[in-house]
Amino acid sequence: MGLLTFTINVTLDGCVDHQEGIADDETHALFTRLMDESGAMLWGRVTYEMMESYWPAVARGDEEAPPARREWAVKLENKPKYVVSSTRKDFPWTNSHHIAGDLRMGVQKLKDATPAGVLLCSGKLATELDRLDLIDEYKFLVHPRLAGHGPTLYQSGLPATRQLELVSAKPLRCGAVAMHYRRAR
């Protein structure tokens, strides 16, 4: 069984708005490495649609992009992508698959079938999966910014505090820190 790892950009005040992070070659290389180490990506519908609206065009060369972003896009194109949605059924982007029905069973089945692990990259979905006790690790890129707005990490709350064990912390040149935590069980 593979691990389910939640990864996201977050500011010091908890904002997870994708426009608030520092998007440079080093941060893109970090997320490319995380994707390379995983067997599949897991998103909610909103994240899927945001990604689908831009990255396939970068992978095809239809959008100008620096080399680090193009590398991410090409690898993302080939990576299996799983989407949880109760409102959308059709996911035409290459290697995209729909998880429907019981969330716990669908995601557990994905974890069981993906020994290299699954990289979860959607904040709202992470909250639901954490409530179901399915997340094993957290890899946050903490940006040296105070956004002063939301959405925020775990905005709708959890039933109890999660105890985490620090695995590693690596500062980047831009001032962000890559934090890796494991669930304390």
Side-chain angles (χ1 to χ4, degrees), residues 130-144:
D130 223 331
R131 288 179 180 153
L132 296 172
D133 202 29
L134 289 170
I135 298 178
D136 303 295
E137 295 188 333
Y138 304 80
K139 293 185 178 180
F140 298 140
L141 186 56
V142 182
H143 294 267

Side-chain angles (χ1 to χ4, degrees), residues 11-175:
T11 63
L12 288 170
D13 58 349
C15 179
V16 292
D17 181 330
H18 73 278
Q19 296 177 0
E20 291 298 338
I22 299 166
D24 63 10
D25 286 350
E26 188 177 25
T27 60
H28 274 280
L30 171 78
F31 283 105
T32 300
R33 192 169 51 257
L34 290 175
M35 182 173 53
D36 287 345
E37 294 168 355
S38 71
M41 307 294 283
L42 177 60
W43 298 324
R45 178 192 54 81
V46 172
T47 301
Y48 174 87
E49 289 174 350
M50 178 183 64
M51 302 294 274
E52 175 189 44
S53 71
Y54 178 70
W55 292 109
V58 173
R60 288 189 307 268
D62 295 345
E63 289 278 340
E64 288 295 318
R69 290 185 189 173
R70 185 157 324 279
E71 178 186 11
W72 159 267
V74 169
K75 289 182 176 189
L76 183 58
E77 190 73 16
N78 296 314
K79 185 65 71 173
K81 296 169 278 295
Y82 291 84
V83 187
V84 173
S85 176
S86 61
T87 59
R88 182 174 170 180
K89 308 289 185 237
D90 181 40
F91 299 92
W93 186 6
T94 306
N95 294 319
S96 294
H97 312 277
H98 184 212
I99 294 180
D102 183 84
L103 183 59
R104 180 188 302 273
M105 287 179 48
V107 172
Q108 187 62 57
K109 183 177 174 182
L110 175 60
K111 286 174 66 172
D112 292 344
T114 314
V118 178
L119 198 59
L120 167 64
C121 306
S122 294
K124 288 181 182 178
L125 180 57
T127 301
E128 294 308 311
L129 294 177
D130 223 331
R131 288 179 180 153
L132 296 172
D133 202 29
L134 289 170
I135 298 178
D136 303 295
E137 295 188 333
Y138 304 80
K139 293 185 178 180
F140 298 140
L141 186 56
V142 182
H143 294 267
R145 296 182 171 179
L146 299 172
H149 64 85
T152 59
L153 193 60
Y154 292 99
Q155 188 166 327
S156 60
L158 290 174
T161 299
R162 297 284 186 242
Q163 298 298 321
L164 307 177
E165 298 171 351
L166 179 64
V167 175
S168 66
K170 179 185 178 209
L172 279 62
R173 287 185 302 273
C174 66

